[in-house]
Amino acid sequence: MKSYRILLLAAFSSVFLGSHAPAPEGGDRAERLVHVADSLRMEYRFSESAAVYREALSATSDSIRRLDIAEKLLMSENGLNMMGFVSRPSVVAKHRFSTEDFFLFYPLADKCWVPVPNQLDTLGTHPFSRASYVPESAGRIYYSAPDTSGAMNIYMTEHQDSLWSVPVLLNEGMVSSGDEIFPMLSPDGNTLFFASSGLYGTGGYDIYMSSWDEARGEWGEPVNMGFPYSSPYNDFLYVNTADGKYTVFASDRDCPRDSVDVYVLEYDSMPVRKEAGSTEELRKICRLDPEGSLDDLDGNSEVSAGIPENVDTRRYTQKVSEVRGLKDSLYRCMSAIDHARSQLAQSGDDEEKQRLSAMILENEMLIPAIQDTLDRAMAILQKIEMEFLFNGVVLDPDKIVEEADKEVVGAASGFAFTRMDPRDSLSLRFRVPEKKFDYSFMILPQGRFAENNELPSGLVYQIQIFTLSKKADVKQLNGLSPVFESRTPTGKYTYRVGIFRTYNDVLSKLNAVKKAGFRTAYIVPFNDGKVIKMAAAKAMEQEIRTVYRLAMSPEGGVLPDLALRAVRQAGVIDVVKVDDGGKIMFTAGPFESLRKAEETAAAVRAAGVSDVSVEKIGNMTSK
């Protein structure tokens, strides 16, 4: 025990004498232990931090605090697991920038970033997500914006005719208890990269990738990119360049507040992930020190003297650089294919053949995208040259080439970080969202007819209110909703209200209907849309076992991971997210016993969701 205390003290001293904040004054033992464990985790000492988190768990009985500690313990355990699959990318360059404009130094198109607040992110309060990526030619936009609780979620909208579609969340797998920021598509459009502070990770923002599932028509389960792209710090804005040469991302590891380092790595289409042998090795890998000299780095490249400094000449220089880089990428891609094919013809090893075949396929898939980008870049370059010629502008060709050479991205020449211009504003016209009809029984100031008069399959009940020789109008409904219309064989119009799954449910609403002015109202049972006798309906209901479900309305419309875990542990697979007129609700079930449903509801409340109720449903037969 004494040696363990010395270990804690040593860890406490070594960590807090560094760049981390000092331990809190006062506070209880659990708080001090958590502070030590946090610092150990930030130093990639996951095994030690996990041990201290466990001790902190035993030092407190506060259920809310225990949930927080358990979540941090999971981060350390995640870190231990992730140490077995570590990439070792080749680092070309890194440079430190302000969090206010670091994204403008990415090798992307000019005026593709719109500072927040803007039309997509109207609040603009996030400490890292300071702009939305909206290329001028984009037909589909993925962006991050706060929901009603302030949590950042990823939305998508696409251009349809002259309007943009109603923004939608991608899927439940990309919605966590934290924030999701900086969604960026791969050049081929099949992979989405983003950062999250609430998914499986080691703390802070980690970087994730999701692949498009063509068969299901949706994005697949997000996968943590692992070390060194992710870390216990904040890592985000992961981009693979269109020329297929580089990977760029940002992180605040080892940075002062309000600053981030932007890392440029050589793109690796088939990274080899190996176990990190020690904490020291992992820490060294995650430092991502460039392999070459940093003397060539330029944090604010501008068009040099000898060339007129204006937007047009800078755009021309950048476009020359882009064209040269794309031609080089195309050549390297084709050379790689030829080399791989030569090796494939000589190889006798099946595993090596499989690897080479995959490499050839990977490069062949890149060529059309690179060629298309090159063609468009060449067209723009020629247009700029014609504009110069028309305006009588004469530029020194040698100086242009010199500036273009400076902008070429490459390990041998260094990486010139050039500041792009932001886009001034957004003016997107969106479609008006369609409101979904609510088929729940209600008495409103004005009644409503059902949008669809078809009844669901199985056993249901309705309350018949009247039969008329001509169509009824809304005033005659006395506020009832939803009211269904049907025709009798004699041509009259019959009106019934509601859809109820059990006799007790419909009976509980019958008096309300009568009080609404329909004193002769009565219950009508249906099976698969056809009227049946009440005795037959009650007999059928006896054969239906009573099952339950949970209705959960978390704050901000995001179900915490711990709550979802509690539901999954109860053996429930069916968790459905419902948008009820802007209010997000989740249902989970079925539960075959009331006791199991109530126990799970208690666990969900302990996980931070206070609005939880158990509902009885009766639509599962006992056969």
Side-chain angles (χ1 to χ4, degrees):
M1 178 63 74
K2 183 177 180 181
S3 62
Y4 181 59
R5 297 297 178 195
I6 292 174
L7 171 64
L8 283 180
L9 182 59
F12 185 85
S13 302
S14 64
V15 170
F16 292 114
L17 288 176
S19 61
H20 301 286
E25 296 182 6
D28 59 18
R29 179 168 173 266
E31 184 178 358
R32 292 193 295 273
L33 288 168
V34 168
H35 201 78
V36 172
D38 284 347
S39 300
L40 290 169
R41 177 170 53 83
M42 301 299 280
E43 291 293 319
Y44 302 89
R45 297 160 69 172
F46 301 117
S47 181
E48 296 167 59
S49 64
V52 182
Y53 282 132
R54 292 189 186 97
E55 186 173 349
L57 273 174
S58 64
T60 180
S61 58
D62 186 297
S63 60
I64 300 300
R65 179 172 291 183
R66 285 178 62 84
L67 283 172
D68 180 62
I69 297 171
E71 189 170 345
K72 291 187 172 184
L73 170 59
L74 182 60
M75 292 177 187
S76 290
E77 292 173 342
N78 292 343
L80 282 172
N81 292 332
M82 289 165 60
M83 284 182 68
F85 307 92
V86 180
S87 299
R88 290 160 174 79
S90 177
V91 185
V92 175
K94 76 173 179 180
H95 198 77
R96 186 159 296 173
F97 299 101
S98 167
T99 54
E100 290 297 318
D101 65 353
F102 72 96
F103 45 86
L104 292 177
F105 293 89
Y106 272 58
L108 298 170
D110 203 31
K111 296 185 178 181
C112 64
W113 290 103
V114 188
V116 295
N118 57 45
Q119 193 176 359
L120 299 176
D121 180 355
T122 56
L123 293 181
T125 56
H126 194 274
F128 297 122
S129 184
R130 308 301 305 148
S132 303
Y133 179 67
V134 188
E136 291 186 346
S137 60
R140 180 176 293 179
I141 301 171
Y142 293 87
Y143 67 96
S144 182
D147 59 20
T148 54
S149 72
M152 301 289 285
N153 292 315
I154 298 175
Y155 297 86
M156 186 277 290
T157 178
E158 57 186 340
H159 197 255
Q160 299 173 344
D161 299 326
S162 61
L163 299 174
W164 289 87
S165 64
V166 178
V168 293
L169 287 168
L170 296 195
N171 60 36
E172 189 176 342
M174 295 187 193
V175 177
S176 73
S177 56
D179 293 336
E180 281 69 52
I181 59 175
F182 286 125
M184 300 294 290
L185 273 181
S186 61
D188 63 7
N190 291 327
T191 306
L192 185 72
F193 300 98
F194 65 98
S196 173
S197 62
L199 295 175
Y200 173 95
T202 60
Y205 285 91
D206 277 11
I207 298 174
Y208 300 81
M209 61 173 288
S210 174
S211 299
W212 178 253
D213 188 330
E214 190 66 39
R216 297 172 58 191
E218 64 178 28
W219 291 101
E221 195 70 20
V223 176
N224 194 309
M225 293 288 290
F227 300 125
Y229 308 103
S230 296
S231 75
Y233 296 86
N234 295 299
D235 312 290
F236 40 81
L237 192 48
Y238 180 103
V239 172
N240 287 326
T241 57
D243 59 13
K245 294 172 65 175
Y246 295 97
T247 293
V248 186
F249 78 97
S251 175
D252 68 352
R253 61 188 80 170
D254 301 321
C255 284
R257 184 173 294 183
D258 300 331
S259 296
V260 295
D261 282 336
V262 176
Y263 297 89
V264 182
L265 317 173
E266 287 189 2
Y267 174 71
D268 187 355
S269 62
M270 300 181 67
V272 177
R273 302 180 187 274
K274 298 189 296 185
E275 182 179 1
S278 65
T279 298
E280 290 71 25
E281 181 187 0
L282 177 63
R283 193 182 295 123
K284 180 180 179 181
I285 293 170
C286 290
R287 277 203 303 267
L288 291 172
D289 292 327
E291 297 177 358
S293 169
L294 300 185
D295 296 338
D296 296 328
L297 296 188
D298 174 14
N300 191 18
S301 295
E302 298 288 348
V303 179
S304 65
I307 298 177
E309 291 189 10
N310 57 52
V311 173
D312 290 334
T313 54
R314 182 168 59 183
R315 186 161 62 104
Y316 181 75
T317 303
Q318 291 168 353
K319 195 57 63 177
V320 170
S321 168
E322 182 182 347
V323 168
R324 289 163 63 94
L326 287 167
K327 287 182 177 178
D328 181 56
S329 296
L330 198 59
Y331 174 79
R332 289 202 319 146
C333 204
M334 292 178 174
S335 298
I337 292 173
D338 292 339
H339 182 66
R341 283 176 175 162
S342 176
Q343 288 183 310
L344 183 63
Q346 300 173 15
S347 176
D349 181 71
D350 289 341
E351 186 174 340
E352 178 69 6
K353 285 184 176 180
Q354 187 175 1
R355 185 187 70 82
L356 291 169
S357 297
M359 184 182 297
I360 292 170
L361 180 61
E362 182 91 22
N363 281 282
E364 285 178 339
M365 291 176 66
L366 285 173
I367 287 177
I370 297 174
Q371 185 66 59
D372 180 66
T373 306
L374 175 60
D375 292 342
R376 284 187 278 114
M378 286 290 295
I380 294 172
L381 189 62
Q382 291 170 1
K383 181 181 178 182
I384 298 172
E385 289 173 344
M386 291 299 295
E387 290 172 355
F388 282 158
L389 184 63
F390 180 81
N391 294 320
V393 176
V394 179
L395 297 177
D396 183 351
D398 293 334
K399 188 62 69 175
I400 289 289
V401 171
E402 178 184 334
E403 290 300 318
D405 283 340
K406 181 181 178 182
E407 300 296 325
V408 171
V409 179
S413 62
F415 185 94
F417 287 95
T418 302
R419 190 181 194 278
M420 301 298 181
D421 291 323
R423 190 169 171 178
D424 294 333
S425 61
L426 276 181
S427 181
L428 307 177
R429 294 175 59 229
F430 291 96
R431 294 186 182 277
V432 178
E434 296 180 5
K435 293 185 177 180
K436 294 183 178 180
F437 191 88
D438 188 350
Y439 283 88
S440 304
F441 173 79
M442 293 178 284
I443 300 180
L444 305 170
Q446 180 173 298
R448 295 187 307 173
F449 290 102
E451 285 188 350
N452 187 340
N453 287 302
E454 291 185 13
L455 296 180
S457 60
L459 177 63
V460 297
Y461 299 86
Q462 290 191 299
I463 300 174
Q464 185 158 322
I465 53 177
F466 52 64
T467 298
L468 302 175
S469 58
K470 62 179 181 179
K471 278 180 172 286
D473 59 34
V474 172
K475 291 181 181 179
Q476 293 173 281
L477 305 185
N478 293 355
L480 296 183
S481 174
V483 175
F484 292 73
E485 177 187 279
S486 62
R487 298 290 296 273
T488 68
T490 59
K492 293 185 177 182
Y493 296 87
T494 297
Y495 295 90
R496 303 182 180 96
V497 62
I499 295 177
F500 307 92
R501 283 291 184 178
T502 67
Y503 179 75
N504 285 336
D505 285 344
V506 68
L507 186 61
S508 68
K509 301 298 189 295
L510 180 60
N511 195 40
V513 172
K514 289 184 175 182
K515 286 184 176 181
F518 305 98
R519 297 184 180 277
T520 59
Y522 60 94
I523 299 170
V524 180
F526 294 82
N527 184 37
D528 292 336
K530 295 181 179 180
V531 177
I532 61 173
K533 293 182 179 180
M534 184 62 70
K538 289 184 176 180
M540 287 180 63
E541 199 168 328
Q542 292 298 318
E543 296 178 358
I544 299 175
R545 65 181 194 269
T546 303
V547 292
Y548 305 87
R549 70 178 181 184
L550 300 187
M552 303 168 284
S553 298
E555 288 188 19
V558 177
L559 192 63
D561 291 344
L562 288 173
L564 184 59
R565 203 173 303 146
V567 172
R568 297 296 192 207
Q569 287 176 350
V572 173
I573 298 177
D574 188 11
V575 180
V576 179
K577 184 177 181 180
V578 180
D579 187 346
D580 184 11
K583 181 180 180 181
I584 302 299
M585 183 181 74
F586 294 83
T587 61
F591 294 89
E592 296 195 12
S593 74
L594 178 60
R595 179 180 177 182
K596 187 68 173 178
E598 289 177 340
E599 287 176 351
T600 307
V604 171
R605 291 189 189 98
V609 181
S610 58
D611 189 357
V612 183
S613 61
V614 178
E615 298 178 345
K616 183 171 69 173
I617 53 178
N619 60 348
M620 296 184 67
T621 62
S622 57
K623 295 181 180 180

